[in-house]
Amino acid sequence: MRHKPPAGALTQKLHIKTYGCQMNAYDSARMAELLAPLGYGLTEDPGEADLVILNTCHIREKASEKLYSDLGRLHARKRARAALGQPMTLAVGGCVAQAEGDEMRRRAPFVDMIFGPQSFHRLPEMIAKRARGAGTVLETDFPAESKFDRLPEARARPGAGAHAGFVTVQEGCDKFCTFCVVPYTRGAEHSRAANQILAEVRSLASQGVREITLLGQNVNNYRGVGPDGRGWTLARLIRAVADIAGVARIRYVTSYPADMTDDLIAAHGEIPALMPFLHLPVQSGSDRVLAAMSRRHRADDYRRLVDRLRAARPDLALASDFIVGFPGESDADFAATRALVRDIGFASAYSFKYSARPGTPAAALPDQTPEAVKSERLAALQQLIVAQQRAFNERCAGRTFPVLFEREGKRPGQLVGRSPYMQAVYAPAPKSLLGQIAEIRIMAGYDNSLAGESMATA
Ligand code: SAH
Ligand code: F3S
């Protein structure tokens, strides 16, 4: 269903708050595009918004706690606006909505609309339904139609980061790691057709986007139908994206180690646009814990996989995710995780305390790890990871990197860009280089950034 723009263009204000992963950020951007033809323009200030959407995350406990405290504040604002005769529509989307929609309706009855990540294309209908006074509108079934068939063309993000675009190519997960809610909130694995993705990339590239990140919960298990009617792998898709004029850099997140196929590993050595930086979550270095997590890889499988990737692309750097304090994790298990971190040498990594998610098998395990032990292990692991990240950044000094400049820095004449390894690079450079890729010599590496030499001397 197509909606015509109202005569007065943007007459309503929309505020979207995004929690969680890059896929949620992508979904939020698509919601804004979907609502623009209905007259909704974005605002940073939830207080002045006619429609507030919270795009939620359910992956760890803290994410949903934050949501309910934000909801309390928004409820007060909503009441204050109502007293002035300015109604505010409050919508909760994303994975908490999907997982706890019914409970949320009881716990926060002032929420007008609750919808899951696979239903946000129905927002226009939900808004109309709500305007008819239908009570809380709940859309948490997994719809038969794909939201991607119903969304308008993707736009490059204005402002900073306008030259790096995200495209969801695959959603959902059938792996059922025993700690994880994603298979329940995002549903079964589903890949978009390659043609639809390539059209979206072409459109972004024509708007000046130089770097494309292909997104998926299990992106390396991409199996969309290709223009030739056959199933395409992620490697095949990456080759086609690399052929699109204007696309200079390609990344993909997040990958499941057991799904790293030979052709994808080979692609790392063969496609120059594919950046030499891979986020490959391992979760633990203990085979006992990995088995309890149902991860389908052992620690040595991961080590061997990294060896093969580095053989294909010697300058490849790795990032990962870790969970500490999984039920039953012993000191020896945790030592195995640290050993794996030392063996691989990561450029960066995320580490999390295990968070028992309702409805997941691991939440029902008897030997939950005490909070104090989790905190201790998290601190120890983070210390190790920060040291590796710093060492990696320091080793970049003296090298010359192609840097995609994204925004102006705080100092006059300074631009900030990204290296192939996602490091922020600060360098004196002319504004004309915004949105461009330039070869920059790195002078120094710090914990979270690199300092680049001035273009004049580079
Ligand atoms: N599909 C990806 C990422 C899923 S969620 C993958 O295959 O890994 C992102 C990260 O959140 C995970 O890699 C994991 O480290 C973390 N995570 C997921 N569930 C968690 C939980 N219950 N407690 C703590 N961390 C969790
Ligand atoms: Fe979650 Fe494991 Fe899938 S971490 S997203 S169930 S691969």
Side-chain angles (χ1 to χ4, degrees), residues 314-348:
D315 60 345
L316 187 90
L318 287 134
S320 200
D321 291 350
F322 293 90
I323 295 177
V324 297
F326 186 83
E329 185 187 73
S330 66
D331 285 337
D333 293 322
F334 180 57
T337 295
R338 281 174 296 156
L340 179 112
V341 172
R342 281 195 206 96
D343 289 349
I344 302 286
F346 290 99
S348 68

PDB file of all heavy atoms in Angstrom, residues 314-348:
ATOM      1  N   PRO A 314      46.385 -12.087   4.691  1.00  0.00           N
ATOM      2  CA  PRO A 314      47.345 -11.986   5.802  1.00  0.00           C
ATOM      3  C   PRO A 314      47.160 -10.757   6.692  1.00  0.00           C
ATOM      4  O   PRO A 314      47.527 -10.809   7.863  1.00  0.00           O
ATOM      5  CB  PRO A 314      48.700 -11.946   5.086  1.00  0.00           C
ATOM      6  CG  PRO A 314      48.461 -12.609   3.762  1.00  0.00           C
ATOM      7  CD  PRO A 314      47.056 -12.299   3.389  1.00  0.00           C
ATOM      8  N   ASP A 315      46.601  -9.666   6.147  1.00  0.00           N
ATOM      9  CA  ASP A 315      46.436  -8.474   6.997  1.00  0.00           C
ATOM     10  C   ASP A 315      45.071  -8.443   7.685  1.00  0.00           C
ATOM     11  O   ASP A 315      44.656  -7.410   8.205  1.00  0.00           O
ATOM     12  CB  ASP A 315      46.647  -7.199   6.176  1.00  0.00           C
ATOM     13  CG  ASP A 315      45.659  -7.086   5.018  1.00  0.00           C
ATOM     14  OD1 ASP A 315      45.015  -8.106   4.683  1.00  0.00           O
ATOM     15  OD2 ASP A 315      45.527  -5.990   4.447  1.00  0.00           O
ATOM     16  N   LEU A 316      44.362  -9.576   7.706  1.00  0.00           N
ATOM     17  CA  LEU A 316      43.047  -9.622   8.341  1.00  0.00           C
ATOM     18  C   LEU A 316      43.158  -9.440   9.857  1.00  0.00           C
ATOM     19  O   LEU A 316      44.013 -10.047  10.498  1.00  0.00           O
ATOM     20  CB  LEU A 316      42.377 -10.969   8.064  1.00  0.00           C
ATOM     21  CG  LEU A 316      40.931 -11.066   8.548  1.00  0.00           C
ATOM     22  CD1 LEU A 316      39.976 -10.606   7.452  1.00  0.00           C
ATOM     23  CD2 LEU A 316      40.569 -12.491   8.947  1.00  0.00           C
ATOM     24  N   ALA A 317      42.301  -8.590  10.410  1.00  0.00           N
ATOM     25  CA  ALA A 317      42.227  -8.447  11.865  1.00  0.00           C
ATOM     26  C   ALA A 317      40.853  -8.920  12.326  1.00  0.00           C
ATOM     27  O   ALA A 317      39.879  -8.862  11.571  1.00  0.00           O
ATOM     28  CB  ALA A 317      42.440  -6.994  12.269  1.00  0.00           C
ATOM     29  N   LEU A 318      40.797  -9.382  13.568  1.00  0.00           N
ATOM     30  CA  LEU A 318      39.554  -9.988  14.053  1.00  0.00           C
ATOM     31  C   LEU A 318      38.977  -9.271  15.259  1.00  0.00           C
ATOM     32  O   LEU A 318      39.704  -8.767  16.115  1.00  0.00           O
ATOM     33  CB  LEU A 318      39.814 -11.443  14.431  1.00  0.00           C
ATOM     34  CG  LEU A 318      39.987 -12.308  13.192  1.00  0.00           C
ATOM     35  CD1 LEU A 318      41.163 -13.215  13.330  1.00  0.00           C
ATOM     36  CD2 LEU A 318      38.710 -13.068  12.896  1.00  0.00           C
ATOM     37  N   ALA A 319      37.645  -9.277  15.299  1.00  0.00           N
ATOM     38  CA  ALA A 319      36.921  -8.838  16.491  1.00  0.00           C
ATOM     39  C   ALA A 319      36.044 -10.008  16.920  1.00  0.00           C
ATOM     40  O   ALA A 319      35.810 -10.931  16.136  1.00  0.00           O
ATOM     41  CB  ALA A 319      36.079  -7.625  16.178  1.00  0.00           C
ATOM     42  N   SER A 320      35.570  -9.978  18.165  1.00  0.00           N
ATOM     43  CA  SER A 320      34.742 -11.089  18.617  1.00  0.00           C
ATOM     44  C   SER A 320      33.798 -10.656  19.734  1.00  0.00           C
ATOM     45  O   SER A 320      33.851  -9.518  20.198  1.00  0.00           O
ATOM     46  CB  SER A 320      35.643 -12.232  19.101  1.00  0.00           C
ATOM     47  OG  SER A 320      34.927 -13.444  19.108  1.00  0.00           O
ATOM     48  N   ASP A 321      32.924 -11.592  20.115  1.00  0.00           N
ATOM     49  CA  ASP A 321      32.058 -11.402  21.294  1.00  0.00           C
ATOM     50  C   ASP A 321      32.349 -12.516  22.282  1.00  0.00           C
ATOM     51  O   ASP A 321      32.571 -13.670  21.875  1.00  0.00           O
ATOM     52  CB  ASP A 321      30.573 -11.536  20.913  1.00  0.00           C
ATOM     53  CG  ASP A 321      30.059 -10.404  20.049  1.00  0.00           C
ATOM     54  OD1 ASP A 321      30.772  -9.404  19.871  1.00  0.00           O
ATOM     55  OD2 ASP A 321      28.923 -10.533  19.557  1.00  0.00           O
ATOM     56  N   PHE A 322      32.299 -12.175  23.562  1.00  0.00           N
ATOM     57  CA  PHE A 322      32.505 -13.152  24.634  1.00  0.00           C
ATOM     58  C   PHE A 322      31.417 -13.029  25.677  1.00  0.00           C
ATOM     59  O   PHE A 322      30.966 -11.926  25.987  1.00  0.00           O
ATOM     60  CB  PHE A 322      33.855 -12.914  25.326  1.00  0.00           C
ATOM     61  CG  PHE A 322      35.018 -13.188  24.440  1.00  0.00           C
ATOM     62  CD1 PHE A 322      35.560 -12.185  23.663  1.00  0.00           C
ATOM     63  CD2 PHE A 322      35.550 -14.463  24.358  1.00  0.00           C
ATOM     64  CE1 PHE A 322      36.626 -12.441  22.811  1.00  0.00           C
ATOM     65  CE2 PHE A 322      36.616 -14.732  23.513  1.00  0.00           C
ATOM     66  CZ  PHE A 322      37.157 -13.718  22.744  1.00  0.00           C
ATOM     67  N   ILE A 323      31.031 -14.158  26.229  1.00  0.00           N
ATOM     68  CA  ILE A 323      30.134 -14.169  27.379  1.00  0.00           C
ATOM     69  C   ILE A 323      30.907 -14.765  28.550  1.00  0.00           C
ATOM     70  O   ILE A 323      31.486 -15.851  28.413  1.00  0.00           O
ATOM     71  CB  ILE A 323      28.878 -15.007  27.095  1.00  0.00           C
ATOM     72  CG1 ILE A 323      28.052 -14.347  25.985  1.00  0.00           C
ATOM     73  CG2 ILE A 323      28.042 -15.189  28.361  1.00  0.00           C
ATOM     74  CD1 ILE A 323      26.818 -15.128  25.571  1.00  0.00           C
ATOM     75  N   VAL A 324      30.944 -14.056  29.672  1.00  0.00           N
ATOM     76  CA  VAL A 324      31.567 -14.632  30.873  1.00  0.00           C
ATOM     77  C   VAL A 324      30.480 -14.994  31.875  1.00  0.00           C
ATOM     78  O   VAL A 324      29.426 -14.352  31.933  1.00  0.00           O
ATOM     79  CB  VAL A 324      32.575 -13.665  31.548  1.00  0.00           C
ATOM     80  CG1 VAL A 324      33.737 -13.369  30.624  1.00  0.00           C
ATOM     81  CG2 VAL A 324      31.892 -12.395  32.018  1.00  0.00           C
ATOM     82  N   GLY A 325      30.739 -16.059  32.640  1.00  0.00           N
ATOM     83  CA  GLY A 325      29.803 -16.446  33.689  1.00  0.00           C
ATOM     84  C   GLY A 325      28.603 -17.216  33.171  1.00  0.00           C
ATOM     85  O   GLY A 325      27.531 -17.210  33.797  1.00  0.00           O
ATOM     86  N   PHE A 326      28.768 -17.907  32.033  1.00  0.00           N
ATOM     87  CA  PHE A 326      27.712 -18.828  31.587  1.00  0.00           C
ATOM     88  C   PHE A 326      27.501 -19.868  32.693  1.00  0.00           C
ATOM     89  O   PHE A 326      28.455 -20.223  33.399  1.00  0.00           O
ATOM     90  CB  PHE A 326      28.151 -19.497  30.282  1.00  0.00           C
ATOM     91  CG  PHE A 326      27.081 -20.353  29.664  1.00  0.00           C
ATOM     92  CD1 PHE A 326      26.099 -19.787  28.877  1.00  0.00           C
ATOM     93  CD2 PHE A 326      27.052 -21.720  29.895  1.00  0.00           C
ATOM     94  CE1 PHE A 326      25.103 -20.579  28.318  1.00  0.00           C
ATOM     95  CE2 PHE A 326      26.057 -22.511  29.338  1.00  0.00           C
ATOM     96  CZ  PHE A 326      25.079 -21.934  28.551  1.00  0.00           C
ATOM     97  N   PRO A 327      26.258 -20.361  32.889  1.00  0.00           N
ATOM     98  CA  PRO A 327      26.028 -21.317  33.978  1.00  0.00           C
ATOM     99  C   PRO A 327      27.046 -22.456  33.961  1.00  0.00           C
ATOM    100  O   PRO A 327      27.289 -23.055  32.905  1.00  0.00           O
ATOM    101  CB  PRO A 327      24.612 -21.831  33.707  1.00  0.00           C
ATOM    102  CG  PRO A 327      23.949 -20.713  32.966  1.00  0.00           C
ATOM    103  CD  PRO A 327      25.028 -20.025  32.177  1.00  0.00           C
ATOM    104  N   GLY A 328      27.653 -22.723  35.110  1.00  0.00           N
ATOM    105  CA  GLY A 328      28.604 -23.822  35.216  1.00  0.00           C
ATOM    106  C   GLY A 328      30.021 -23.466  34.796  1.00  0.00           C
ATOM    107  O   GLY A 328      30.917 -24.310  34.858  1.00  0.00           O
ATOM    108  N   GLU A 329      30.259 -22.240  34.354  1.00  0.00           N
ATOM    109  CA  GLU A 329      31.621 -21.863  33.915  1.00  0.00           C
ATOM    110  C   GLU A 329      32.575 -21.889  35.114  1.00  0.00           C
ATOM    111  O   GLU A 329      32.393 -21.152  36.079  1.00  0.00           O
ATOM    112  CB  GLU A 329      31.617 -20.469  33.276  1.00  0.00           C
ATOM    113  CG  GLU A 329      32.972 -20.065  32.702  1.00  0.00           C
ATOM    114  CD  GLU A 329      32.997 -18.612  32.224  1.00  0.00           C
ATOM    115  OE1 GLU A 329      33.013 -17.689  33.073  1.00  0.00           O
ATOM    116  OE2 GLU A 329      32.994 -18.392  30.996  1.00  0.00           O
ATOM    117  N   SER A 330      33.598 -22.732  35.021  1.00  0.00           N
ATOM    118  CA  SER A 330      34.559 -22.864  36.126  1.00  0.00           C
ATOM    119  C   SER A 330      35.741 -21.935  35.898  1.00  0.00           C
ATOM    120  O   SER A 330      35.869 -21.330  34.827  1.00  0.00           O
ATOM    121  CB  SER A 330      35.059 -24.300  36.186  1.00  0.00           C
ATOM    122  OG  SER A 330      35.821 -24.565  35.013  1.00  0.00           O
ATOM    123  N   ASP A 331      36.638 -21.878  36.897  1.00  0.00           N
ATOM    124  CA  ASP A 331      37.865 -21.098  36.724  1.00  0.00           C
ATOM    125  C   ASP A 331      38.664 -21.612  35.531  1.00  0.00           C
ATOM    126  O   ASP A 331      39.236 -20.828  34.775  1.00  0.00           O
ATOM    127  CB  ASP A 331      38.737 -21.173  37.988  1.00  0.00           C
ATOM    128  CG  ASP A 331      38.164 -20.292  39.103  1.00  0.00           C
ATOM    129  OD1 ASP A 331      37.417 -19.332  38.770  1.00  0.00           O
ATOM    130  OD2 ASP A 331      38.448 -20.566  40.282  1.00  0.00           O
ATOM    131  N   ALA A 332      38.682 -22.946  35.392  1.00  0.00           N
ATOM    132  CA  ALA A 332      39.453 -23.528  34.282  1.00  0.00           C
ATOM    133  C   ALA A 332      38.822 -23.145  32.938  1.00  0.00           C
ATOM    134  O   ALA A 332      39.528 -22.861  31.963  1.00  0.00           O
ATOM    135  CB  ALA A 332      39.495 -25.050  34.422  1.00  0.00           C
ATOM    136  N   ASP A 333      37.480 -23.138  32.879  1.00  0.00           N
ATOM    137  CA  ASP A 333      36.813 -22.724  31.642  1.00  0.00           C
ATOM    138  C   ASP A 333      37.182 -21.287  31.294  1.00  0.00           C
ATOM    139  O   ASP A 333      37.464 -20.952  30.144  1.00  0.00           O
ATOM    140  CB  ASP A 333      35.283 -22.817  31.789  1.00  0.00           C
ATOM    141  CG  ASP A 333      34.799 -24.249  31.935  1.00  0.00           C
ATOM    142  OD1 ASP A 333      35.367 -25.138  31.267  1.00  0.00           O
ATOM    143  OD2 ASP A 333      33.859 -24.471  32.730  1.00  0.00           O
ATOM    144  N   PHE A 334      37.156 -20.452  32.326  1.00  0.00           N
ATOM    145  CA  PHE A 334      37.455 -19.042  32.071  1.00  0.00           C
ATOM    146  C   PHE A 334      38.919 -18.870  31.654  1.00  0.00           C
ATOM    147  O   PHE A 334      39.238 -18.052  30.776  1.00  0.00           O
ATOM    148  CB  PHE A 334      37.126 -18.186  33.304  1.00  0.00           C
ATOM    149  CG  PHE A 334      37.414 -16.728  33.079  1.00  0.00           C
ATOM    150  CD1 PHE A 334      36.822 -16.038  32.027  1.00  0.00           C
ATOM    151  CD2 PHE A 334      38.294 -16.040  33.913  1.00  0.00           C
ATOM    152  CE1 PHE A 334      37.097 -14.689  31.796  1.00  0.00           C
ATOM    153  CE2 PHE A 334      38.576 -14.700  33.692  1.00  0.00           C
ATOM    154  CZ  PHE A 334      37.986 -14.024  32.636  1.00  0.00           C
ATOM    155  N   ALA A 335      39.799 -19.686  32.240  1.00  0.00           N
ATOM    156  CA  ALA A 335      41.215 -19.632  31.834  1.00  0.00           C
ATOM    157  C   ALA A 335      41.346 -20.014  30.357  1.00  0.00           C
ATOM    158  O   ALA A 335      42.164 -19.437  29.618  1.00  0.00           O
ATOM    159  CB  ALA A 335      42.045 -20.565  32.714  1.00  0.00           C
ATOM    160  N   ALA A 336      40.515 -20.966  29.913  1.00  0.00           N
ATOM    161  CA  ALA A 336      40.559 -21.374  28.504  1.00  0.00           C
ATOM    162  C   ALA A 336      40.129 -20.224  27.591  1.00  0.00           C
ATOM    163  O   ALA A 336      40.650 -20.058  26.486  1.00  0.00           O
ATOM    164  CB  ALA A 336      39.664 -22.601  28.286  1.00  0.00           C
ATOM    165  N   THR A 337      39.190 -19.424  28.055  1.00  0.00           N
ATOM    166  CA  THR A 337      38.767 -18.262  27.268  1.00  0.00           C
ATOM    167  C   THR A 337      39.920 -17.263  27.139  1.00  0.00           C
ATOM    168  O   THR A 337      40.215 -16.760  26.053  1.00  0.00           O
ATOM    169  CB  THR A 337      37.533 -17.593  27.909  1.00  0.00           C
ATOM    170  OG1 THR A 337      36.442 -18.504  27.839  1.00  0.00           O
ATOM    171  CG2 THR A 337      37.161 -16.298  27.194  1.00  0.00           C
ATOM    172  N   ARG A 338      40.597 -17.010  28.267  1.00  0.00           N
ATOM    173  CA  ARG A 338      41.718 -16.068  28.196  1.00  0.00           C
ATOM    174  C   ARG A 338      42.828 -16.605  27.303  1.00  0.00           C
ATOM    175  O   ARG A 338      43.463 -15.854  26.554  1.00  0.00           O
ATOM    176  CB  ARG A 338      42.244 -15.757  29.603  1.00  0.00           C
ATOM    177  CG  ARG A 338      41.344 -14.736  30.331  1.00  0.00           C
ATOM    178  CD  ARG A 338      41.784 -14.536  31.755  1.00  0.00           C
ATOM    179  NE  ARG A 338      41.613 -15.806  32.466  1.00  0.00           N
ATOM    180  CZ  ARG A 338      42.269 -16.168  33.557  1.00  0.00           C
ATOM    181  NH1 ARG A 338      43.166 -15.378  34.090  1.00  0.00           N
ATOM    182  NH2 ARG A 338      42.029 -17.326  34.129  1.00  0.00           N
ATOM    183  N   ALA A 339      43.021 -17.922  27.351  1.00  0.00           N
ATOM    184  CA  ALA A 339      44.066 -18.517  26.502  1.00  0.00           C
ATOM    185  C   ALA A 339      43.727 -18.319  25.025  1.00  0.00           C
ATOM    186  O   ALA A 339      44.593 -17.985  24.207  1.00  0.00           O
ATOM    187  CB  ALA A 339      44.208 -20.007  26.815  1.00  0.00           C
ATOM    188  N   LEU A 340      42.450 -18.489  24.700  1.00  0.00           N
ATOM    189  CA  LEU A 340      42.048 -18.294  23.304  1.00  0.00           C
ATOM    190  C   LEU A 340      42.270 -16.843  22.871  1.00  0.00           C
ATOM    191  O   LEU A 340      42.764 -16.574  21.776  1.00  0.00           O
ATOM    192  CB  LEU A 340      40.574 -18.677  23.115  1.00  0.00           C
ATOM    193  CG  LEU A 340      40.088 -18.466  21.677  1.00  0.00           C
ATOM    194  CD1 LEU A 340      39.784 -19.782  20.995  1.00  0.00           C
ATOM    195  CD2 LEU A 340      38.886 -17.574  21.612  1.00  0.00           C
ATOM    196  N   VAL A 341      41.928 -15.913  23.746  1.00  0.00           N
ATOM    197  CA  VAL A 341      42.127 -14.492  23.419  1.00  0.00           C
ATOM    198  C   VAL A 341      43.612 -14.239  23.157  1.00  0.00           C
ATOM    199  O   VAL A 341      43.984 -13.581  22.174  1.00  0.00           O
ATOM    200  CB  VAL A 341      41.604 -13.587  24.561  1.00  0.00           C
ATOM    201  CG1 VAL A 341      41.973 -12.127  24.317  1.00  0.00           C
ATOM    202  CG2 VAL A 341      40.082 -13.729  24.685  1.00  0.00           C
ATOM    203  N   ARG A 342      44.463 -14.808  24.014  1.00  0.00           N
ATOM    204  CA  ARG A 342      45.910 -14.608  23.832  1.00  0.00           C
ATOM    205  C   ARG A 342      46.387 -15.238  22.525  1.00  0.00           C
ATOM    206  O   ARG A 342      47.186 -14.659  21.800  1.00  0.00           O
ATOM    207  CB  ARG A 342      46.683 -15.215  24.998  1.00  0.00           C
ATOM    208  CG  ARG A 342      46.650 -14.316  26.209  1.00  0.00           C
ATOM    209  CD  ARG A 342      47.700 -14.722  27.241  1.00  0.00           C
ATOM    210  NE  ARG A 342      47.230 -14.278  28.536  1.00  0.00           N
ATOM    211  CZ  ARG A 342      46.578 -15.043  29.406  1.00  0.00           C
ATOM    212  NH1 ARG A 342      46.373 -16.316  29.152  1.00  0.00           N
ATOM    213  NH2 ARG A 342      46.149 -14.537  30.536  1.00  0.00           N
ATOM    214  N   ASP A 343      45.870 -16.434  22.209  1.00  0.00           N
ATOM    215  CA  ASP A 343      46.301 -17.119  20.987  1.00  0.00           C
ATOM    216  C   ASP A 343      45.920 -16.343  19.732  1.00  0.00           C
ATOM    217  O   ASP A 343      46.690 -16.271  18.780  1.00  0.00           O
ATOM    218  CB  ASP A 343      45.667 -18.519  20.890  1.00  0.00           C
ATOM    219  CG  ASP A 343      46.267 -19.466  21.912  1.00  0.00           C
ATOM    220  OD1 ASP A 343      47.296 -19.097  22.524  1.00  0.00           O
ATOM    221  OD2 ASP A 343      45.699 -20.568  22.104  1.00  0.00           O
ATOM    222  N   ILE A 344      44.726 -15.804  19.704  1.00  0.00           N
ATOM    223  CA  ILE A 344      44.247 -15.166  18.475  1.00  0.00           C
ATOM    224  C   ILE A 344      44.828 -13.758  18.354  1.00  0.00           C
ATOM    225  O   ILE A 344      45.326 -13.379  17.309  1.00  0.00           O
ATOM    226  CB  ILE A 344      42.698 -15.087  18.441  1.00  0.00           C
ATOM    227  CG1 ILE A 344      42.079 -16.477  18.571  1.00  0.00           C
ATOM    228  CG2 ILE A 344      42.209 -14.363  17.189  1.00  0.00           C
ATOM    229  CD1 ILE A 344      42.161 -17.358  17.366  1.00  0.00           C
ATOM    230  N   GLY A 345      44.751 -12.967  19.406  1.00  0.00           N
ATOM    231  CA  GLY A 345      45.156 -11.573  19.315  1.00  0.00           C
ATOM    232  C   GLY A 345      44.107 -10.772  18.561  1.00  0.00           C
ATOM    233  O   GLY A 345      44.108 -10.716  17.335  1.00  0.00           O
ATOM    234  N   PHE A 346      43.146 -10.208  19.299  1.00  0.00           N
ATOM    235  CA  PHE A 346      42.037  -9.491  18.661  1.00  0.00           C
ATOM    236  C   PHE A 346      42.345  -8.004  18.507  1.00  0.00           C
ATOM    237  O   PHE A 346      43.055  -7.413  19.327  1.00  0.00           O
ATOM    238  CB  PHE A 346      40.757  -9.667  19.478  1.00  0.00           C
ATOM    239  CG  PHE A 346      40.213 -11.071  19.409  1.00  0.00           C
ATOM    240  CD1 PHE A 346      40.470 -11.979  20.430  1.00  0.00           C
ATOM    241  CD2 PHE A 346      39.475 -11.483  18.317  1.00  0.00           C
ATOM    242  CE1 PHE A 346      39.985 -13.274  20.361  1.00  0.00           C
ATOM    243  CE2 PHE A 346      38.987 -12.782  18.240  1.00  0.00           C
ATOM    244  CZ  PHE A 346      39.241 -13.680  19.260  1.00  0.00           C
ATOM    245  N   ALA A 347      41.775  -7.414  17.448  1.00  0.00           N
ATOM    246  CA  ALA A 347      41.897  -5.962  17.272  1.00  0.00           C
ATOM    247  C   ALA A 347      40.895  -5.240  18.155  1.00  0.00           C
ATOM    248  O   ALA A 347      41.099  -4.083  18.522  1.00  0.00           O
ATOM    249  CB  ALA A 347      41.667  -5.595  15.815  1.00  0.00           C
ATOM    250  N   SER A 348      39.792  -5.915  18.469  1.00  0.00           N
ATOM    251  CA  SER A 348      38.807  -5.376  19.402  1.00  0.00           C
ATOM    252  C   SER A 348      37.851  -6.512  19.742  1.00  0.00           C
ATOM    253  O   SER A 348      37.836  -7.537  19.060  1.00  0.00           O
ATOM    254  CB  SER A 348      38.033  -4.207  18.806  1.00  0.00           C
ATOM    255  OG  SER A 348      37.215  -4.649  17.756  1.00  0.00           O
TER     256      SER A 348
END
